[in-house]
């Protein structure tokens, strides 16, 4: 299938990866066998229960063991599905589309640095304006009442000038002695 897809056009890159899950599958099979044996054992003990407390305890334990078995079997089915199916990812580009390699080649020089710096500046401004836009409603809703309360508190705490009584009238100048 991969070879047939490669014939659809000019192949630029091919990556194939595999993962060996044999050991994990064997381990999972052993755990399922062991858990089935535990479930069977629990059922035998449940059939031999003599008191109500034994019956309730064994039913709880059996339910737990059956849930664990169902979980292990679901993992096994998932692993079987993953090993039976493979994922192929294909990216098809127009012949005039720039390839990632071509874009990387022009990545050195003054103009490239200038372009990168400009993008960084614009990005920083966008972030600052976004933060300002998010904070502005809070500043209006909380800042204006807080500023008003602060102004009133300062006005009330300001010491008032003392009202001194007016000075006594000045005495008439004394007449010169004859």
């Amino acid at each position: 299938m991969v070879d047939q897809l490669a014939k659809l056009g000019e192949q630029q890159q091919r990556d194939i990866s595999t993962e060996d899950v044999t050991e994990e599958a064997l381990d999972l099979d052993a755990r399922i066998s062991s858990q089935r044996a535990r479930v069977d054992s629990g059922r035998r003990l449940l059939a031999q229960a003599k008191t109500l407390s034994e019956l309730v305890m064994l039913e709880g334990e059996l339910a737990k063991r059956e849930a664990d078995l169902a979980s292990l079997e679901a993992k096994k089915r998932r692993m079987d599905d993953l090993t039976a199916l493979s994922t192929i990812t294909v990216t098809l580009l127009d012949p005039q589309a720039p390839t990632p390699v071509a874009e990387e080649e022009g990545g050195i020089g003054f103009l490239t640095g200038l372009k990168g710096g400009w993008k960084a500046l614009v990005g920083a401004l966008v972030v600052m304006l976004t933060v300002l836009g998010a904070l502005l409603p809070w500043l209006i809703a909380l800042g204006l009442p807080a500023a008003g309360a602060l102004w009133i508190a300062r006005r009330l705490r300001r010491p008032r000038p003392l009202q001194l009584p007016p000075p006594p009238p000045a005495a008439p100048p004394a007449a010169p002695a004859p």
Side-chain angles (χ1 to χ4, degrees):
M1 181 61 151
V2 174
D3 291 334
Q4 290 174 353
L5 288 172
K7 292 176 186 175
L8 292 176
E10 182 181 336
Q11 181 176 325
Q12 298 289 327
Q13 180 180 354
R14 181 189 289 197
D15 292 323
I16 297 176
S17 62
T18 61
E19 182 180 347
D20 185 12
V21 292
T22 306
E23 187 175 317
E24 189 176 344
L26 291 174
D27 179 52
L28 200 51
D29 286 338
R31 289 172 55 199
I32 288 173
S33 299
S34 172
Q35 194 64 26
R36 280 189 182 134
R38 292 181 73 206
V39 167
D40 292 341
S41 171
R43 286 183 180 148
R44 282 192 304 273
L45 288 174
L46 184 63
Q48 297 172 0
K50 293 185 171 94
T51 65
L52 183 60
S53 62
E54 286 178 352
L55 183 67
V56 170
M57 181 193 68
L58 289 171
E59 281 180 342
E61 183 63 28
L62 182 60
K64 181 177 176 271
R65 289 179 182 186
E66 287 175 337
D68 290 344
L69 177 61
S71 174
L72 290 172
E73 288 174 339
K75 284 180 185 178
K76 176 67 174 159
R77 281 190 305 273
R78 171 90 170 119
M79 184 180 293
D80 289 343
D81 288 345
L82 288 176
T83 56
L85 304 175
S86 297
T87 302
I88 297 176
T89 304
V90 177
T91 304
L92 302 173
L93 300 174
D94 186 32
Q96 288 81 26
T99 61
V101 175
E103 290 175 6
E104 291 175 5
E105 289 174 0
I108 297 176
F110 175 76
L111 292 178
T112 303
L114 185 62
K115 184 191 260 184
W118 182 255
K119 284 182 180 179
L121 175 66
V122 169
L125 288 174
V126 167
V127 169
M128 288 189 324
L129 290 175
T130 302
V131 169
L132 179 64
L135 292 178
L136 191 59
W138 291 96
L139 292 174
I140 291 171
L142 299 176
L144 291 178
L150 184 61
W151 180 78
I152 290 172
R154 285 186 176 174
R155 185 111 169 129
L156 293 176
R157 275 194 278 154
R158 187 178 298 160
R160 302 195 188 275
L162 293 176
Q163 296 288 334
L164 297 176

